Amino acid sequence: MGRPGADTSKVSVLGVRHHGPGSARAVRAALNEIEPDLVLIEGPPEADAVTSLVGGLEPPVALLVHLADTPKAGSARSREGWGFWPFASFSPEWAALRHAHDNDVPVRFCDLPAAHTIAERIARAEEAEERREQAANEEADAPSEVGEPPEPDPTPERAEDPRPAEASEPAGASEPAEEPRVRLDPLGVLAEAAGYDDAERWWDDVVEQRVDGEPSPFPAIADAMAAVRAESGPETGRDARREAYMRQTLRGALKQGYERIAVVCGAWHAPALRDLSDYSIKDDTALLKGLPKVKTTATWVPWTHGRLATASGYGAGVTSPGWYHHLFTAPDLPVHRWLTSAARLLREEGQQVSSSHVIEGVRLAESLAVLRGRPLAGLDEVAEATTAVLCEGEQTRAALVHGRMAIGERLGSVPPETPMVPLQRDLMAAQKRLRLKPEAFDRDLDLDLRKDGLRERSVLLHRLRLLGVEWGVPRTPDGGQRGTFRESWRLRWEPEMDVALIEAAPYGTTVASAATARVVEIAADAELPTLTALTEQCLFAELGEALPDVLALLTDKAATDSDITHLMSALPPLARSTRYGDVRGTDSGHLRAVAQQILARIRVGLVPAVRGLDDDAAARFVKALDRTHNAATLLDDDLPAWLDTLADLAVRDNVPGRIAGRVNRVLSDTGRVDAPELRRRLGLVMSPGTEPAHAVAWLEGFLQGSGLILVHDEELLGMIDTWLLALPEERFTAILPLLRRTFGAFDAGERQEIGSAVTRIDGGGATDVRERRPVDVRRAAPAVAAVLGLLERSGA
């Protein structure tokens, strides 16, 4: 039974599908007719504190509810202590918010508080962590022969970003476990009853493509959902608690004396709120008793159309938010306007599209709608018309239009008075000062560090990366072009970055102070490679206050760490830092001293480190060796001693073939081994007494990265060719996969050049003289001047 005396005739329940232009238009029309004195919206009540900001919001936006306190990064509270509730201009909930704001009508959110939702998720995540830790401990205690792998963690990782089926549920956080329950697909049932085989197409035809002036669909929707719910049985678990809380909120509003209450909720919940007398107050109270709770706070953040799309994983998403936005904002002649915009986009891309294309496209889209029995042309028909007429059947051009228009790249905005942590405000001020606008699409940014404003942009992006805000990602290795004053970035703002800023708030009130504190915290427990990387990042981010602490720890670790792989990993960023220290105006004397100390220790430990390595380990060591050589080159004065060490290693026995070959290539490229000596060493490696597999490994290490040396030294190529021809068939077959791996790593141009060189070999020997065309200095002069100009402008 319901509350005695409850007058549900005062309540109008508007059951909607979240994020639909027809639903939003119908809600707007119904509210204008009802003229409610209170609007209730399905969503977390924490939003009540920020509804006053609706007038300054530009959708798409999202309500962000997060823990009032800032949890430790990486903890279950940090991963699960927040949730998003997104709204677009075509969301019916947004239409209700705007109506309430524009007409000065009280508005409240009536779903189960996020304080309970978040508490449930945190408890579940903590339980999963305990199970994982317990399983790990049991595995460690058990004998290795019978050890079982730990049970997989049922809590999804953040990267998977599973989305619930209701928009009033937080987007971007995992759901609490519930007992399994079979629920009929209400749209599928109603679509089948109407003779449709596609529920989405039925809903679009019946609701989303509605125009102003049509009768309200909400009574019929509520009746249809009541019939479907009767087949499914009563709600249980979390959905039952949600509906109980909505009913309690509605009863409270009636008790307060409101006469015309409009409730905007998911269509599935409409019967549960319309028929209050079917539910007992006592039962609803019991359902809500003893729920876990945490302290939360709410704010608004910008959202994107891409994050509203089903393809993003959002459970309440729509296939084409850009199309829905178009239908909502252009109710008259939507097909004509859409194809006109598509034609404009194609013309901007250099395609020849005329007004006649648009006219024929409109005719085709409308004809397809008639043939398919649809009241209006939908996105399918418009897309086919775009492909066939505007793009003349070319799928690539059509995909461009679909990606940019059907999904869209719209990013919303929030007013300055929106509640924010100080760190967010500092970032907004920096973005405004540096004219670096956050955008929802990829944008390439090239920076010349010699210009103060551009260098400050670089500093900001590097500081944000230290805080876990990957707004910008370097497009070049190691964050910049080595030895130059230039950096290249790819920028894209994602809504989750606001969460990362909130999580980083305890480190400081500004981006600079927070990044400094974060670096010091990371350095305290870091290994040597991490410390050297942090040193480089401190220079990029101009964190002068953090650098002394990091360098002190780095010096201590470098003096005590005996792992040569750690030392080889640590040296490259430190050597680069000596160069960037000069570029960014930082004294690099201390950095160079530490780098020289590390290089000296690598030289001492290099020979023992290569003994007994298998092929895979040797391949990894070769990469480390190349990075170390590049670092030694940056240190200049230390390069001769490093090459002396390599020269000693190159002539030692029992060095893995791949490493020996690579060392000899480095010595050859630097002039420490001349051509005759190199041929002599290759001859020894390919002598009959040497295992062919070792010789091929030597050759692979020698040629790694570039095989053009064989083009310029035909005698060397002839030696290899002669050796291969002399191998017995079974031994050649055995090493063939290794040869394919070696030569397959070259690009097509290199392989072609080597093949041409082989054809010039006469009987296994090199040709006497390789003919070369004379260089026309006069004709080459403009090209040389252009290359020199490019090198000068690049700072190389």
Side-chain angles (χ1 to χ4, degrees):
M1 294 179 61
R3 182 182 63 81
D7 186 1
T8 54
S9 64
K10 300 178 180 179
V11 179
S12 298
V13 180
L14 311 180
V16 300
R17 183 190 185 188
H18 307 290
H19 313 311
S23 295
R25 197 172 289 117
V27 164
R28 187 171 59 187
L31 294 178
N32 288 334
E33 180 180 350
I34 297 168
E35 297 183 349
D37 55 2
L38 175 66
V39 176
L40 297 179
I41 300 175
E42 180 186 322
E46 288 89 345
D48 294 350
V50 291
T51 53
S52 60
L53 299 170
V54 166
L57 299 174
E58 181 181 345
V61 292
L63 177 71
L64 168 61
V65 182
H66 58 89
L67 292 174
D69 62 328
T70 305
K72 181 180 178 181
S75 65
R77 290 174 63 84
S78 172
R79 294 194 309 273
E80 304 295 342
W82 55 273
F84 289 109
W85 283 259
F87 301 90
S89 61
F90 51 82
S91 301
E93 296 88 347
W94 180 254
L97 278 170
R98 287 298 317 187
H99 176 92
H101 176 270
D102 295 343
N103 294 278
D104 198 23
V105 175
V107 60
R108 300 175 190 170
F109 284 82
C110 61
D111 201 357
L112 193 68
H116 300 309
T117 304
I118 293 173
E120 290 175 357
R121 291 205 311 266
I122 290 174
R124 180 178 173 228
E126 289 176 342
E127 289 175 3
E129 285 183 351
E130 290 177 3
R131 289 196 302 269
R132 184 167 58 246
E133 183 177 352
Q134 182 180 359
N137 292 336
E138 291 175 355
E139 181 182 11
D141 294 338
S144 58
E145 295 80 8
V146 295
E148 292 292 333
E151 180 182 353
D153 179 11
T155 305
E157 294 294 331
R158 172 76 60 189
E160 294 179 12
D161 201 20
R163 308 299 175 99
E166 293 286 356
S168 59
E169 290 299 291
S174 56
E175 281 296 285
E178 289 289 354
E179 60 274 17
R181 175 177 182 270
V182 177
R183 174 193 283 183
L184 294 175
D185 174 17
L187 296 187
V189 172
L190 297 176
E192 184 178 357
Y196 282 72
D197 57 3
D198 186 337
E200 293 290 327
R201 188 160 61 90
W202 171 77
W203 184 266
D204 277 350
D205 288 352
V206 175
V207 178
E208 301 308 346
Q209 297 196 41
R210 290 170 49 85
V211 296
D212 292 330
E214 296 188 31
S216 173
F218 298 117
I221 289 175
D223 290 340
M225 290 300 170
V228 177
R229 285 175 66 112
E231 298 294 327
S232 300
E235 287 291 351
T236 59
R238 175 168 174 72
D239 285 328
R241 295 192 293 272
R242 291 179 59 204
E243 292 182 350
Y245 191 91
M246 291 188 224
R247 286 191 293 268
Q248 293 285 55
T249 304
L250 182 54
R251 292 184 185 110
L254 288 168
K255 188 175 181 180
Q256 291 173 359
Y258 288 101
E259 296 292 328
R260 299 180 308 280
I261 303 174
V263 182
V264 180
C265 64
W268 179 260
H269 305 301
L273 304 182
R274 182 188 63 175
D275 306 322
L276 283 180
S277 60
D278 293 342
Y279 300 89
S280 164
I281 298 176
K282 180 180 178 181
D283 291 342
D284 286 348
T285 303
L287 280 172
L288 300 172
K289 186 177 180 180
L291 294 180
K293 188 176 183 180
V294 291
K295 189 174 181 180
T296 58
T297 188
T299 187
W300 294 100
V301 296
W303 203 249
T304 67
H305 272 179
R307 287 305 180 96
L308 285 168
T310 305
S312 72
Y314 175 32
V318 295
T319 304
S320 305
W323 169 251
Y324 271 9
H325 177 82
H326 175 74
L327 288 180
F328 187 70
T329 56
D332 61 317
L333 302 177
V335 175
H336 301 67
R337 295 180 185 275
W338 179 269
L339 291 176
T340 300
S341 297
R344 184 184 305 113
L345 174 59
L346 288 168
R347 283 195 292 268
E348 290 174 354
E349 295 295 326
Q351 306 297 327
Q352 299 298 319
V353 182
S354 66
S355 57
S356 61
H357 284 87
V358 176
I359 295 171
E360 291 303 318
V362 171
R363 289 175 177 170
L364 177 58
E366 292 177 343
S367 299
L368 289 172
V370 172
L371 289 173
R372 295 168 180 173
R374 304 194 67 176
L376 293 172
L379 182 59
D380 290 343
E381 289 73 31
V382 172
E384 290 181 40
T386 301
T387 302
V389 181
L390 273 66
C391 300
E392 298 177 347
E394 292 191 15
Q395 296 292 337
T396 303
R397 281 197 261 172
L400 170 69
V401 174
H402 181 80
R404 292 196 183 178
M405 295 182 63
I407 302 298
E409 298 173 336
R410 184 176 296 271
L411 174 68
S413 63
V414 299
E417 61 270 22
T418 303
M420 298 179 187
V421 297
L423 190 59
Q424 289 174 292
R425 294 196 178 280
D426 181 67
L427 176 57
M428 287 187 64
Q431 290 170 335
K432 184 177 181 180
R433 176 171 54 84
L434 298 175
R435 290 181 293 180
L436 204 56
K437 183 180 179 181
E439 295 169 315
F441 51 86
D442 289 338
R443 172 192 171 193
D444 291 338
L445 182 68
D446 294 321
L447 301 176
D448 185 341
L449 303 180
R450 293 170 294 187
K451 299 179 180 179
D452 290 342
L454 300 184
R455 193 191 75 255
E456 289 180 22
R457 290 183 176 186
S458 166
V459 168
L460 176 64
L461 294 173
H462 281 295
R463 288 174 177 177
L464 289 174
R465 295 193 77 207
L466 286 167
L467 294 173
V469 182
E470 297 281 342
W471 179 20
V473 177
R475 297 175 58 210
T476 50
D478 311 313
Q481 297 176 5
R482 297 179 182 178
T484 76
F485 288 89
R486 297 186 180 275
E487 285 183 351
S488 296
W489 295 81
R490 175 153 293 167
L491 273 58
R492 184 185 184 92
W493 184 265
E494 299 288 357
E496 286 81 357
M497 293 175 187
D498 282 294
V499 177
L501 287 169
I502 293 171
E503 291 179 344
Y507 292 109
T509 58
T510 66
V511 175
S513 63
T516 298
R518 178 62 178 149
V519 165
V520 172
E521 180 184 75
I522 295 172
D525 300 317
E527 297 293 335
L528 183 60
T530 303
L531 284 171
T532 56
L534 279 177
T535 301
E536 186 177 36
Q537 290 165 1
C538 283
L539 294 176
F540 290 158
E542 296 187 3
L543 300 178
E545 294 183 8
L547 194 56
D549 292 339
V550 176
L551 285 177
L553 290 167
L554 174 62
T555 303
D556 293 341
K557 287 283 186 181
T560 58
D561 198 325
S562 59
D563 188 332
I564 192 172
T565 58
H566 278 185
L567 296 172
M568 297 178 79
S569 298
L571 182 62
L574 194 58
R576 290 193 301 268
S577 296
T578 64
R579 180 71 55 88
Y580 279 107
D582 294 333
V583 170
R584 297 175 182 266
T586 304
D587 181 13
S588 59
H590 190 176
L591 302 177
R592 178 174 291 275
V594 177
Q596 290 171 332
Q597 174 188 350
I598 292 176
L599 181 58
R601 299 188 63 200
I602 292 173
R603 288 170 46 213
V604 172
L606 190 62
V607 172
V610 301
R611 293 173 183 165
L613 296 181
D614 61 18
D615 186 64
D616 290 339
R620 292 191 296 269
F621 198 89
V622 163
K623 293 180 180 179
L625 199 67
D626 283 342
R627 291 192 293 266
T628 303
H629 175 68
N630 291 333
T633 303
L634 292 176
L635 295 176
D636 298 327
D637 296 340
D638 297 270
L639 182 59
W642 165 250
L643 292 176
D644 289 341
T645 303
L646 294 184
D648 176 61
L649 182 65
V651 297
R652 287 179 175 267
D653 296 331
N654 300 324
V655 175
R658 187 180 291 200
I659 297 175
R662 191 61 191 160
V663 170
N664 276 281
R665 177 60 180 272
V666 171
L667 294 173
S668 172
D669 289 346
T670 55
R672 293 296 291 264
V673 173
D674 58 20
E677 174 61 17
L678 182 61
R679 296 187 194 112
R680 186 188 72 82
R681 295 183 181 185
L682 180 60
L684 293 175
V685 170
M686 295 182 174
S687 63
T690 304
E691 180 65 32
H694 176 80
V696 173
W698 195 100
L699 190 62
E700 182 173 10
F702 181 80
L703 297 177
Q704 183 170 323
S706 174
L708 292 180
I709 190 173
L710 300 180
V711 177
H712 300 294
D713 191 337
E714 293 184 351
E715 187 173 344
L716 194 68
L717 179 60
M719 292 176 63
I720 298 173
D721 186 56
T722 301
W723 171 69
L724 290 173
L725 290 173
L727 287 175
E729 182 177 355
E730 65 277 4
R731 304 191 80 177
F732 177 81
T733 304
I735 66 170
L736 185 57
L738 298 177
L739 287 171
R740 284 178 174 171
R741 184 174 70 181
T742 300
F743 287 90
F746 303 146
D747 60 37
E750 283 184 299
R751 292 197 299 270
Q752 184 176 3
E753 288 284 340
I754 294 172
S756 299
V758 170
T759 62
R760 293 193 294 268
I761 298 175
D762 182 17
T767 56
D768 295 335
V769 179
R770 182 178 177 184
E771 295 184 3
R772 297 180 181 272
R773 296 181 61 185
V775 177
D776 187 331
V777 177
R778 184 181 60 82
R779 294 180 62 191
V784 172
V787 171
L788 289 175
L790 290 172
L791 291 174
E792 182 180 355
R793 282 195 292 273
S794 69

